[in-house]
Amino acid sequence: MKELDHYFMQQEEPVRGCLLALREVILSANDSITPAWKWRLPFFYYKKKMLCYLSFHKKHKKPYLAIVEGRQIDHPALLAENRTRMKIMLIDPNEDLPMETIQAILQQALALY
């Protein structure tokens, strides 16, 4: 987990705090969610299946939550862009996390499994 921890610590504030808070929200969504390091990003698995990951959008200059099976979820906060499988939710690190929206999306994603 050293690389995973390093990923969070190398981010500047307020992005670091935002990503760390998102990590906690994701992990608290279900006891079967586990963190991992994949594709040089913090990844989260649900019962050994890819659920979501955290990253930073270079164009929008914001962190985002990517849902692996996002194409199967219809939610206005999710963007597909040019992705064929995943959808992302941009997060403003200078605002409070939209907890209800994040939790609703995570529950929809978990229901797919």
Side-chain angles (χ1 to χ4, degrees):
M1 291 285 188
K2 195 170 193 171
E3 289 177 280
L4 181 56
D5 293 332
H6 180 70
Y7 176 85
F8 289 108
M9 292 306 122
Q10 74 181 3
Q11 306 298 322
E12 293 186 22
E13 289 296 347
V15 172
R16 178 188 317 150
C18 179
L19 290 172
L20 288 169
L22 281 168
R23 176 178 68 174
E24 293 307 312
V25 171
I26 293 166
L27 292 173
S28 68
N30 189 290
D31 290 339
S32 296
I33 297 175
T34 55
W37 181 247
K38 182 181 179 79
W39 303 333
R40 295 177 159 172
L41 295 170
F43 225 93
F44 301 89
Y45 285 81
Y46 175 67
K47 296 183 179 179
K48 300 184 181 181
K49 294 182 181 179
M50 295 187 300
L51 176 66
C52 62
Y53 65 89
L54 299 174
S55 190
F56 191 83
H57 202 292
K58 292 175 185 166
K59 179 181 171 187
H60 295 288
K61 299 190 182 338
K62 291 182 180 181
Y64 66 85
L65 166 64
I67 305 296
V68 173
E69 298 297 339
R71 281 287 182 176
Q72 298 182 49
I73 298 173
D74 184 27
H75 195 286
L78 292 175
L79 306 172
E81 295 183 316
N82 293 326
R83 296 170 178 87
T84 57
R85 181 178 180 190
M86 301 179 194
K87 285 187 180 178
I88 66 168
M89 178 182 176
L90 293 170
I91 307 290
D92 186 339
N94 296 306
E95 301 285 330
D96 290 341
L97 289 179
M99 295 296 290
E100 289 180 18
T101 303
I102 295 168
Q103 289 169 344
I105 290 170
L106 286 172
Q107 291 308 311
Q108 288 182 42
L110 290 168
L112 296 173
Y113 298 94

